[in-house]
């Protein structure tokens, strides 16, 4: 049969390609675990390791099989999906984690400047845990890390979310099932972080839960949890599937505790259009709204406390990550209770929705904030060196449509990021590639003011000379997603001639891989937003047909 032929041909080609390299395909909600060896079965016979010389003597057409071990890894695309969160450890240099919405969690390897997947151990039955709602790295004991794992909080799944806890930086894990679902791939997933460790007493963790479940607390390193009954607010905002978004971030003021003694002042951001910032001054025993907070109908995407006692908050009229809206940026002087509008476009200007927000731990007056979704012509990434009094964008118009870009982008390890589009800067205000979209998180390295990282809907970008921007020089932005693979693979073929692997993928169309270890350009002739399947003609392998749909869901074939 044709399907059997194609499957066998695919297997043989992949074996030869991956003998020393390695290949592992992961789909949006699927992890395929392959055994230690792969065996090709000859026609007219079923064989196994147990079939030996005696069987061969009786049936000469049965050939004893030899097995060979293979190392399996990933075909390189580099990124391919949304990076909603980047988490730096505050105690140890280069200890960095990243979370994806459906492709697992990662730890940075500083020696190779690549990311290590931490959830490869998940079985097919555990696929829902591949979506990560939040990560917390322990600021007291850097070996400890926690993951709130669960992809969907609606009726697409029946399983609850789990808190995964590790004492060896994610090499091994223990699990605690929670009595509700998480939403790692649900709307609002780049708000955060929902999971946080007390910087003074690291036995204590807090978790903001969805679907009206409120605020939860653990006092034994995440092993057991109980609801914080005194925090009664759940917020008045639902996601597009009808689920309550709830508390979205927890921020501690470490100056209000001491080593081994719980932090007393804690801030919680809530998805609520009326009152969205709450505060406890007694270690979470009681909670009150923060006085004087802005009442613009916006939602607090991130809340970051600087070492100077300033709480900086990025606001957005929507929960994100793909919808736009309006917004603002404010700071609260936690010592005096004074609120100040520091919106980059000017006080009272709410034209942009804001997402990613960062404060330099080495200089709390050094801030960065990104617009969440400005689809045309480009996102804005602002930087301030004076606590938000003044800002500079990474680009500005000179004489429309010409732009002054104060950055360069190296995307050579992900050449598909320009979508195959070359633009003329003399006539087109859009850049190719863009600075990104869905920039829901942006972080400054606590040990290196020059290094930033931010997540987009397609990759993780970063820079290692950020302070040059403050001197009026251009910064170099590059793809920092090497090792992260989170694509929705909907179809694969391996024709007997030509490129060994051609794919159909959700959101990014698909790829023609001539080298499994190098990310190629995207298939753009024509571009199909989500290619759902593909096949080749058995008698003419050069004839390949793809099907899928455009961004407006209209069916397409190419």
């Amino acid at each position: 049969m044709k399907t059997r032929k194609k499957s066998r041909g695919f297997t043989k080609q992949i074996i030869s390609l991956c003998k020393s390299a390695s290949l592992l395909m992961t789909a949006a909600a699927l992890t395929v675990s392959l055994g230690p060896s792969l065996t090709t079965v000859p026609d007219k016979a079923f064989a196994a390791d147990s079939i030996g010389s005696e069987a061969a003597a009786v049936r000469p057409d049965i050939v004893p099989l030899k097995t060979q071990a293979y190392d399996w890894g990933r075909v390189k695309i580099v990124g391919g999906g949304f990076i909603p969160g980047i988490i730096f450890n505050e105690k140890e240099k280069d200890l960095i984690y990243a979370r994806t919405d459906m492709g697992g969690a990662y730890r940075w390897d500083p020696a190779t400047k690549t990311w290590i997947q931490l959830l490869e151990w998940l079985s097919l039955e555990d696929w829902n845990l591949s979506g990560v709602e939040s990560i917390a790295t322990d600021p007291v004991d850097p070996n400890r890390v926690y993951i709130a794992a669960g992809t969907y909080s609606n009726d697409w799944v029946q399983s609850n979310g789990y808190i995964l806890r590790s004492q060896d930086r994610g090499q091994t894990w223990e699990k605690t099932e929670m009595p509700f679902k998480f939403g790692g791939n649900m709307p609002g997933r780049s708000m955060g972080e929902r999971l946080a460790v007390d910087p003074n007493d690291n036995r204590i963790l807090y978790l903001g839960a969805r679907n009206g479940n409120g605020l939860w607390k653990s006092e034994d390193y995440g092993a057991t949890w109980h609801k914080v009954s005194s925090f009664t607010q759940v917020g008045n905002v639902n996601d597009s599937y009808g689920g309550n978004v709830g508390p979205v971030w927890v921020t501690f003021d470490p100056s209000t505790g001491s080593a081994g003694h719980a932090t007393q002042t804690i801030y919680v951001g809530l998805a609520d259009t009326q009152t969205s910032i709450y505060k406890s001054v007694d270690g979470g025993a009681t909670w009150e709204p923060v006085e004087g907070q802005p009442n613009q109908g916006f939602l607090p995407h991130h809340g970051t406390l600087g070492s100077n006692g300033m709480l900086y908050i990025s606001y957005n009229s929507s929960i994100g990550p793909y919808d736009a809206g309006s917004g603002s940026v404010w700071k609260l002087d936690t010592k005096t209770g004074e609120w100040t509008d520091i919106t980059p476009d000017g006080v009272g200007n709410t034209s942009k929705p804001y997402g990613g927000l960062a404060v330099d731990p080495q200089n709390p007056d050094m801030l960065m904030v990104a617009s969440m979704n400005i689809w045309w012509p480009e996102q804005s990434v602002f930087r301030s060196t004076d606590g938000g009094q003044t800002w500079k964008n990474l680009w500005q118009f000179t004489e429309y449509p010409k732009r002054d870009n104060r950055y360069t982008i190296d995307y050579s390890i992900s050449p598909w990021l320009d979508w195959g589009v070359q633009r003329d800067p003399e006539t087109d205000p859009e850049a190719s590639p863009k600075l990104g979209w869905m920039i829901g998180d942006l972080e400054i390295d606590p040990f290196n003011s020059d290094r930033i990282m931010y997540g987009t809907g397609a990759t993780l970008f970063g820079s290692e000379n950020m302070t040059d921007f403050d001197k009026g020089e251009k910064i170099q932005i590059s793809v920092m997603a090497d090792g992260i693979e989170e694509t929705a693979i909907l179809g694969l073929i391996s024709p007997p001639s030509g490129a060994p692997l051609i794919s159909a993928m959700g959101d990014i169309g698909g790829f023609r891989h001539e080298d499994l270890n190098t990310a190629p350009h995207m298939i753009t002739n024509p571009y199909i937003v989500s290619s759902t399947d593909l096949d080749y003609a058995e008698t003419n392998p050069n004839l390949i047909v793809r099907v899928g749909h455009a961004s407006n869901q209209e069916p397409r074939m190419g």
Side-chain angles (χ1 to χ4, degrees), residues 52 98 121 198 240 317 399 410 500 521 525 542:
W121 53 272
D198 189 321
S240 54
S317 61
E399 181 179 354
D410 177 3
H521 289 274
N525 53 340
N542 290 326

Side-chain angles (χ1 to χ4, degrees), residues 264-311:
Q264 295 301 295
T265 299
I266 312 165
Y267 297 91
V268 171
L270 183 69
D272 191 286
T273 56
Q274 299 300 316
T275 305
S276 61
I277 311 295
Y278 287 82
K279 174 183 177 181
S280 174
V281 295
D282 51 16
T286 61
W287 300 84
E288 296 291 340
V290 176
E291 294 184 0
Q293 62 184 280
N295 187 9
Q296 301 172 298
F298 296 153
L299 307 175
H301 211 87
H302 288 281
T304 303
L305 185 68
S307 58
N308 57 357
M310 293 290 181
L311 179 66

Side-chain angles (χ1 to χ4, degrees), residues 84-87 99 133-136 148 187-198 205-210 214-216 228 231 233-235 244-253 265-272 275-280 287-290 293-294 298-306 309-316 318-319 328-332 334 339 354-359 440-441 443:
I86 303 157
I87 303 92
R99 59 183 174 94
E133 178 89 281
S134 189
I135 293 180
R189 54 191 178 273
S190 60
M191 304 171 84
E193 291 289 315
R194 291 174 176 264
L195 186 62
V197 180
D198 189 321
L205 291 88
Y206 282 88
L207 170 70
R210 292 178 182 260
L215 187 67
W216 286 65
V228 180
F231 193 94
Q233 299 77 19
V234 296
N244 172 267
V245 179
V248 292
W249 50 261
V250 179
T251 299
F252 294 93
D253 182 350
T265 299
I266 312 165
Y267 297 91
V268 171
L270 183 69
D272 191 286
T275 305
S276 61
I277 311 295
Y278 287 82
K279 174 183 177 181
S280 174
W287 300 84
E288 296 291 340
V290 176
Q293 62 184 280
F298 296 153
L299 307 175
H301 211 87
H302 288 281
T304 303
L305 185 68
M310 293 290 181
L311 179 66
Y312 298 95
I313 301 170
S314 58
Y315 285 97
N316 194 324
S318 59
I319 60 176
S328 58
V329 182
W330 288 72
K331 68 178 179 181
L332 166 67
T334 61
W339 286 87
Y354 294 95
L357 169 71
V359 180
D441 193 27
E443 301 293 335

Side-chain angles (χ1 to χ4, degrees), residues 212-268:
N213 289 291
L215 187 67
W216 286 65
K217 182 179 182 180
S218 172
E219 298 176 87
D220 56 4
Y221 301 101
T224 63
W225 293 79
H226 64 270
K227 188 173 183 178
V228 180
S229 58
S230 59
F231 193 94
T232 58
Q233 299 77 19
V234 296
N236 62 3
V237 174
N238 291 343
D239 62 36
S240 54
Y241 298 92
N244 172 267
V245 179
V248 292
W249 50 261
V250 179
T251 299
F252 294 93
D253 182 350
S255 68
T256 62
S258 58
H261 297 84
T263 300
Q264 295 301 295
T265 299
I266 312 165
Y267 297 91
V268 171

Side-chain angles (χ1 to χ4, degrees), residues 419-420 510 512 521-528 544 546 557-558:
W419 259 250
R512 182 180 185 273
H521 289 274
M522 190 187 299
I523 299 174
T524 57
N525 53 340
Y527 170 57
I528 298 177
I544 298 172
R546 301 184 301 142
M557 179 179 291

